[in-house]
Amino acid sequence: MMASSYNAKEEDGHHSGAVGPGGAGTVKIKKPDNTAFKQQRLPAWQPILTAGTVLPAFFVIGLIFIPIGIGLFVTSNNIKEFEIDYTGMEESSPCYVCAHNYSWNNTTPCICLIPFVLDQPFESNVFMYYGLSNFYQNHRRYVKSRDDSQLNGDKTSLLNPSKECEPYRKSNGLSIAPCGAIANSLFNDTLELIYNFPNGTTITIPLMRKGIAWWTDKHVKFRNPGGNDNNLTTAFAGTAKPLNWGKPVYELDPSDPDNNGFINEDFIVWMRTAALPTFRKLYRIIQKKKDNMMPTLPQGNYTLNITYNYPVRSFDGQKRMILSTISWMGGKNPFLGIAYITVGSVCFFLGVVLLIIHHKYGSRNNNADIPN
Amino acid sequence: MAAKWLRMLVPWRGGWTPRGKEPRPGCAEEERHVRANDRLYNDKFSYADNRIKTSKYSILTFLPVNLFEQFQRVANAYFLVLLILQLIPEISSLSWFTTIVPLVMVLVITAVKDATDDYFRHRSDQQVNTRQSQVLIQGKLQNEKWMNVRVGDIIKLENNQFVTADLLLLSSSEPYGLCYIETAELDGENNLKVRQALTVTSDLGADIAKLAEFDGEITCEPPNNKLDRFTGTLCWRGNKHPLENEHMLLRGCVLRNTDWCFGLVVFAGPQTKLMQNCGRTTFKRTSIEKLMNTLVLWIFGFLICMGIILAIGNTIWEVKVGRAFWAYLQWGELLSNAVYSGFLTFWSYIIILNTVVPISLYVSVEVLRLGHSYFINWDRKLYYGEKDMAAEARTTTLNEELGQVEFIFSDKTGTLTQNILIFHKCSINGTTYGEVYDDFHHKVNITEKTPCVDFSFNPLSDPKFRFHDSSLVEAVKVGEACVQEFFRLLALCHTVMPEERSEGELVYQAQSPDEGALVTAARNFGFVFRARTPETITLYEIGRPVTYQLLAFLDFNNVRKRMSVIVRNPKGEIKLYCKGADTIVFERLHPSNEDLMDTTSEHLNEFAGEGLRTLALAYRELDEDVFGEWMERLQYASTVVGNREELLNELYEEVEQDLMLLGATAVEDKLQEGVPETITCLSLANIKIWVLTGDKLETAMNIGYSCNMLRDDMDEVFVISGHSSLEVARELRSAKERILGPSCAKLSSAGKSISSSSDSVFEETIIAEYALIINGHSLAHALELEVELEQVLLDVACLCKTVICCRVTPLQKAQVVELVKRHKRAVTLAIGDGANDVSMIKTAHIGVGISGQEGTQAVLASDYSFGQFRYLQRLLLVHGRWSYRRMCKFLCYFFYKNFAFTLVHFWFGFLCGFSAQTVYDQWFITLYNIVYTSLPVLAMGMFDKDVNEHFSLRYPSLYRPGQLNLLFNKRKFFTCTLHGVFTSFVLFFVPYVLCFSAVRDDGAHVSDQQAFAITIATSLVIVVSVQIGLDTDYWTAVNHFFVWGSLAMYFAILFAMHSDGLFSMFPSQFPYIGLARNALTQKSVWLVILLTTVVCIMPMLAIRFLKTDLRPSLSDKVYLLQKASRRQHPQEQSLKRVRRTSSRRSAYAFAHQQGYGELITSGRNMKFTASASTPNLSAPPSPALSPPAPVQNMSCTGWIGTWGGGGEEELGDVDSTGESPGVTDDGAGKTPTAEITA
């Protein structure tokens, strides 16, 4: 707090060694320090909104956004996407019967076949999605109705799931694994794609069922109890299957122990709840054929073979199957490109308008009218 | 001391009052009985012991008590309720930690602050309690800790020791049982005061045995906080002796110049007057704070509206969609009712949307204010070097209001003026002295450089005294009789006490600075007042000691307006010397003086015109016989019990006749440095300055002229001094007519309730300048009798540029402030330095105390304090303006960012079935306000400034927006909330449109809820960061650090929260595992974020640019100018020096009050020590006078009144308006130290 060294720089115009009741030579202990911070003299950058800075910003943004937008739009347009609704609401739909004979406990699966035509060949890897509409996966009670500890393989949670799972927590006194509404409503349609060669032969297109979930989900977030190598049947002993499921969790993919139980990728994908009532989830990947020059999905006639298990009719839901290729920026999304072009043009236009306004009416350094 | 550090330590709220525990709560003590040396007896009453406890908590009680106190605050309680709501699983839409983390942080910060405060209090208590004192126990003096001292103990104090408790002085080392104390800690006055023991007890002396036997019993008033009053009786040996304040030594005082003294403890510890005086009761709120509270209520209303909308939505959704969805999502049976579900949703949404009023708002506002207060405390330009006094923001809650002041109520003495008086000119026998002429007989303006008269011929002269006219010295040296008599009078007729610390080093203790100035002048001109005894006055007349016998002392009072002494000079002649108000003295002159009177009168007018305080001097030679006869009557009269005053006055009147005029003195009441400039500057800032003073009309007007408040070029100066309400009403109405023109006045008086808005229209349109001067008694009529009159008064006053109220009582000062507060929605500031300003300071929105000559009472009551009036300019125009601006920008941004943050949930409600699902990660909600966005906005609120201090002072109109409340008002609030709503809309819907079918570049979908959340959250953090960047005008390193740091912090925390490690530890709390890695590596996510940011920011940028470009505010223009000027030369232009235009006014002042004379003649304050040089003491004693003569048996109240009286205010003839007459309650008066400087 000593500031006497600054006396020479006294700014308040007082003679030091002043005559006060304290007498001359009083030590000035209360004098505030002369630091930039305390005196509010911190060096600072003082930007100011002038025509010189604002208008170029608009133009620059406009000029950057428009090309980006065009690029995005073109990229998006190059992405091939095919979508087919197989809900079966109309009577003409092959799935109409299945849709109306719904029961969770049907032992005999209802199968419907929907033929469709691809006008263009799909190059490179093709991704197969299922889409649901009007399905409130983002409802709060739905979203929280899960137990991440259980899904992470925690033994105690396995046998005693979180209360958040109610009313899908216990079944007949046994705890449900996986518990909760999300797991309970696992999408269980089976989709198969059959290519009809022009010569009449058909081939079922191989669908990759692995690699559809995020790596972190599959390897960190979801784990089977007692590790993934264990015998799942014993690991899940003492638990019940979710009410709507036809088979217990350890039989989701008996063929592949790496895709069974909680780490079943279909299950993981489902468990990643969607943000909006209309959503799509990755179902399968159709890998590019390595050897021949044929496109992954040549143009032609296809049949979608649906094992119709998943009822959506009660809540006016829709089910779709989507085939899509992707680009560097992801899937088909024309809106992004359009939005960029629009925003870029608006910015540019705004820049022009502002420039005109500024030139016509703007005040450039009109200091003359500052009073006093 | 206690008071001082208490204030230092309670800067946060300042509202806490330390009070000791009452001994028996519920049954108040009515009378106190204390028996000396009898602990057993005194213990019966269980009086408080001398342990003080200013601390609030002990280690055990800290947690519960502190928490209890904290939850008494509305905000904390509100968040507690939210917390409880969140614990209900059906409602809980957020995890408990989203509320509890901020709440706990706030509670912990507050608790830590409280704990440190309390720790220091404990330590200081400890330190005080363990001080040693000498207590008489069982006939022996024993060292005891202070805390063990009890009521009834006898204590020995030594020189320079603090007084242990409130003591009854028993005896001291000084004659007559006097002792000297310094009360600086108590009331801020740093002059010595005298206390005297009762004669019966002072005989005890230092005899321990006798003291141990002393068994007097005191009956006295219960503990109270009146520092200047004490009533009680001492019962000893069957006699009763009345006790008064004069006999008391109060805790907090320091014993000075007294080797030792003994005292009996009457009040101890928390019951001492010092402790009873600690703490402040008033708690002021700023208008912004009030507005903020209103807005917060509105927001609550808004919140409830949103809740209801969403709840209804939920009910409908449940009926229409939810039921169908039951296959996947079942409710429990109880919950299957849609209405009930809506009801629950309502509460859930209240929880989610509560962040529109975040708890951090309150904390941040407090932090900002604290910071702004520190900036005031740290400002070197508010530091007053002469007194080593830095400005102090004693309240931390009012800073932004400093930027909105519209009315300043100022005291005069000590505030505008220095209360330092300088002997400037005089008129002796028809000749004026004091002017300096050059060789061509032109008047020379006196400056610092003008050569001073050399007083080296006089070894006893005061080196600080400066006088420029050497002809007066010549006249003295030549031996002009009149001149010599003139100075002799000045040296004899006064109540100054000399103190000669060493040979030739004289210090005068003067009751009023005028007197000091006059006596010092006489001293320098060779008539050195050197010593006095009750009967004699010793002068050194041009080096020769001359002793005068003081025969009678005709003291000053407000009615007499003069004082006289009757002395016998060595030659044996008896002379009466009189000085007093010119009108009074002139009435009593001998007829032969007519010519001289006219000349002198002219000179007096001249002096008055220059704003000098004048006194007329006269003498009379008295016959031995006449005097002897008069003296006899005087002695008789002074023994009369009934109408003694009257008789004495008559006698005085009788002898003060046929005076011979000597001349007149002119003393300059020096204005404080920079006062006219400050006033000009503040009025340019459209602040109205009203001067409220206890001085007389003429003095007040004079100061008005010298302060540049009144000018000759003003159109009219209305003087209201009617003595009846009718008269006052007539005067006021006519003044109003004059200003508005008759038609307007009629209009406004006819339509009684003409709205204040039209009045303000009048105000704006009045170009002519008027001034209003109103007298105290007229003010009383205007204020108290009719409400309508009050309105007229206010109208007129507001139409005038200058308002001066003179001769007002302290209470009236407060009433005037109250009047303005009540009728105008304006922020008022009261500034003063004396005890008489305390009421006004407490009443006004902002009270500023100047620590001046008059003690620190005003400072203790104030919200801000500094050393000089001129600092007000900087406090308001720089600190106030910045604080206001910062606070407004802070609030605007704060509401904006929280609306932008919270309303996203509202939009999402429509897409998630109104289920109160949050958009963001719960951790994000928890941390958004306290980590991600708090520091940048705090940095802006702390450091932001547009126009620098030089330009702020150069363009006072920059202050205007604060007064008009332009920067933050309801409209502004709507704008920024609307901005927030817009941002939230963009933030939600742009990602919504772009994301709902978005897919990663490896084909996996990213339209899941978590990725959506992270996109919006990241956009939000970026958008609000960019927005704060736009809002910040002053980017210091701290701003950069905080803004960039917050962004970095966001990403760091994001990746940490989404890391494997945390998830593996708490899988259910960190479900967002891996999200940041998966989502933020996607180009499309970043493209969406970029787009959202641009869409949010660009419109604002355009609007802002258009605003500054098309309709730049003054601050924008000045800002540009400042930038331009910095590029050129950072040249500092000071304000043009304002010179007052001289004008002739008659001024008269005798800043003086009753009281000292009797003390002098009684001689009780004389100290007969060997070292003190009192020459000619051996002179033959006066035969005519028996010592301690005429007034000795008058009560001591006068003496007390001197110290306790109401300062310079001459309140004698002002209607007593509720204040108790006599000794005023508001404590200490002036410090009777004269300072003679040039």
Side-chain angles (χ1 to χ4, degrees), chain A residues 14 40 46 141 311 340 358, chain B residues 328 331 870 945 1087 1123:
Chain A
H14 278 281
Q40 304 197 60
Q46 288 180 269
R141 278 184 296 115
Y340 262 84
H358 174 67
Chain B
Y328 298 112
W331 274 112
R870 67 192 144 99
K945 49 183 172 187
L1087 285 172
K1123 280 222 137 185

Side-chain angles (χ1 to χ4, degrees), chain A residues 3 6 11-12 14 18-21 27-34 37-51 54-55 57-58 61 65 68 72 104 127 129 135-136 138-144 148-149 152 167-168 181 185 212 214 216 220-221 244 269 272-278 280-282 310-311 314-315 326-333 335-336 339-340 343 347 350 354 357-358 361-363 365-367 369-372, chain B residues 89-93 317-318 321 324-325 327-331 348 375 377-381 383-386 388 390 464 673 870 879 882 886 908 911-913 915-917 943 945-946 954-957 992-994 996 999-1005 1007-1010 1012 1032-1036 1040 1060 1063 1067-1068 1071 1073-1075 1077-1078 1083-1084 1087-1088 1090-1091 1094-1095 1098 1101-1102 1104-1106 1108-1110 1112 1114 1117-1123 1126:
Chain A
Y6 291 110
E11 289 162 346
D12 52 8
H14 278 281
V19 248
V27 192
K28 298 190 168 174
I29 33 171
K30 286 185 189 163
K31 180 152 195 167
D33 297 347
N34 191 9
F37 175 71
K38 290 190 173 182
Q39 300 308 316
Q40 304 197 60
R41 278 191 275 108
L42 285 179
W45 172 56
Q46 288 180 269
I48 189 164
L49 294 183
T50 56
V54 174
L55 296 182
F58 277 93
I61 287 176
F65 270 39
I68 293 181
L72 288 173
W104 277 114
F127 296 83
Y129 302 90
F135 192 99
Y136 284 82
N138 59 5
H139 195 280
R140 176 167 61 90
R141 278 184 296 115
Y142 186 87
V143 169
K144 72 175 183 181
D148 280 311
S149 292
N152 194 35
Y168 303 101
S185 57
I212 58 172
W214 291 6
T216 45
V220 185
K221 195 172 180 182
N244 289 359
V269 166
R272 185 157 281 282
T273 53
L276 303 164
T278 298
R280 58 169 75 168
K281 284 180 188 289
L282 185 56
Y310 204 71
S314 63
F315 55 93
I326 56 165
S327 69
W328 58 270
M329 52 153 282
K332 193 176 183 80
N333 194 353
F335 296 113
L336 194 58
Y340 262 84
V343 170
C347 273
L350 214 58
L354 288 181
I357 292 177
H358 174 67
Y361 312 101
S363 53
N365 285 342
N366 49 356
N367 302 321
D369 56 337
I370 299 177
N372 56 75
Chain B
E90 279 78 24
I91 288 174
S92 171
S93 43
W317 186 88
E318 284 292 339
V321 185
F325 200 58
Y328 298 112
L329 187 59
Q330 278 178 355
W331 274 112
S348 302
F375 280 134
N377 294 349
W378 284 334
D379 194 338
R380 282 163 75 89
K381 287 176 186 165
Y383 169 77
Y384 187 45
E386 287 188 20
D388 184 34
K464 282 177 266 169
E673 216 177 306
R870 67 192 144 99
H879 285 284
W882 281 348
R886 288 167 182 172
F908 189 54
L911 293 164
C912 69
S915 61
Q917 170 62 29
F943 301 112
K945 49 183 172 187
D946 50 347
R954 215 158 96 188
Y955 298 101
S957 339
Y992 164 70
V993 169
L994 300 177
F996 78 93
V999 159
R1000 267 161 58 122
D1001 57 3
D1002 63 358
H1005 64 114
S1007 62
D1008 72 285
Q1009 201 252 329
Q1010 294 186 346
F1012 192 61
T1032 306
D1033 288 326
Y1034 195 79
W1035 281 83
T1036 64
H1040 277 289
D1060 304 354
F1063 175 79
S1068 48
I1073 156 81
L1075 178 70
R1077 269 170 287 170
N1078 284 301
K1083 294 169 208 80
S1084 55
L1087 285 172
V1088 172
L1090 177 67
L1091 187 76
V1094 167
V1095 173
M1098 279 334 230
L1101 194 63
R1104 208 162 282 196
F1105 169 72
L1106 280 179
T1108 51
D1109 200 48
L1110 295 182
L1114 180 65
K1117 289 183 201 166
V1118 176
Y1119 192 30
L1120 277 175
L1121 189 71
Q1122 180 190 325
K1123 280 222 137 185
R1126 187 176 309 154

Side-chain angles (χ1 to χ4, degrees), chain A residues 74-348:
Chain A
V74 170
T75 316
S76 176
N77 270 0
N78 286 340
I79 292 172
K80 299 188 181 71
E81 198 176 85
F82 178 83
E83 190 171 316
I84 188 164
D85 188 314
Y86 69 91
T87 321
M89 294 312 288
E90 302 92 38
E91 273 184 65
S92 58
S93 167
C95 291
Y96 181 79
V97 177
C98 289
H100 285 78
N101 294 337
Y102 138 79
S103 159
W104 277 114
N105 301 326
N106 262 0
T107 41
T108 48
C110 178
I111 291 172
C112 54
L113 300 167
I114 298 182
F116 63 94
V117 178
L118 284 185
D119 297 334
Q120 287 174 310
F122 281 45
E123 315 279 345
S124 169
N125 287 351
V126 178
F127 296 83
M128 183 183 200
Y129 302 90
Y130 59 88
L132 290 174
S133 294
N134 217 7
F135 192 99
Y136 284 82
Q137 241 198 341
N138 59 5
H139 195 280
R140 176 167 61 90
R141 278 184 296 115
Y142 186 87
V143 169
K144 72 175 183 181
S145 185
R146 63 193 284 162
D147 185 346
D148 280 311
S149 292
Q150 191 192 44
L151 298 175
N152 194 35
D154 188 84
K155 282 269 185 195
T156 43
S157 299
L158 182 73
L159 298 172
N160 186 19
S162 157
K163 291 203 174 57
E164 304 279 6
C165 287
E166 292 286 5
Y168 303 101
R169 184 163 167 262
K170 297 255 178 178
S171 151
N172 300 327
L174 290 177
S175 58
I176 296 175
C179 75
I182 312 178
N184 189 52
S185 57
L186 176 68
F187 179 78
N188 58 358
D189 280 359
T190 310
L191 305 178
E192 276 182 355
L193 205 55
I194 297 161
Y195 177 58
N196 304 326
F197 283 101
N199 57 14
T201 55
T202 60
I203 178 169
T204 308
I205 293 174
L207 300 174
M208 284 253 312
R209 53 168 60 215
K210 280 171 77 178
I212 58 172
W214 291 6
W215 188 90
T216 45
D217 283 354
K218 170 133 179 141
H219 293 94
V220 185
K221 195 172 180 182
F222 289 82
R223 272 193 306 200
N224 281 323
N228 294 337
D229 306 325
N230 268 8
N231 188 345
L232 289 183
T233 323
T234 51
F236 283 101
T239 61
K241 69 175 175 63
L243 301 174
N244 289 359
W245 286 21
K247 48 194 174 184
V249 65
Y250 47 85
E251 283 172 24
L252 281 175
D253 189 358
S255 61
D256 185 354
D258 200 24
N259 194 26
N260 202 4
F262 288 156
I263 56 169
N264 177 275
E265 295 200 16
D266 284 330
F267 174 66
I268 292 173
V269 166
W270 181 253
M271 291 304 282
R272 185 157 281 282
T273 53
L276 303 164
T278 298
F279 59 90
R280 58 169 75 168
K281 284 180 188 289
L282 185 56
Y283 184 65
R284 295 288 182 262
I285 301 172
I286 306 161
Q287 272 197 313
K288 184 181 167 189
K289 296 180 182 97
K290 282 180 189 134
D291 41 356
N292 59 21
M293 299 302 291
M294 283 274 286
T296 322
L297 288 183
Q299 95 192 69
N301 294 325
Y302 290 84
T303 308
L304 184 63
N305 186 348
I306 301 148
T307 314
Y308 200 108
N309 294 324
Y310 204 71
V312 292
R313 201 173 62 96
S314 63
F315 55 93
D316 292 331
Q318 280 162 7
K319 297 198 282 192
R320 288 161 295 142
M321 190 281 303
I322 301 123
L323 291 170
S324 172
T325 61
I326 56 165
S327 69
W328 58 270
M329 52 153 282
K332 193 176 183 80
N333 194 353
F335 296 113
L336 194 58
I338 294 169
Y340 262 84
I341 294 171
T342 319
V343 170
S345 333
V346 166
C347 273
F348 196 84

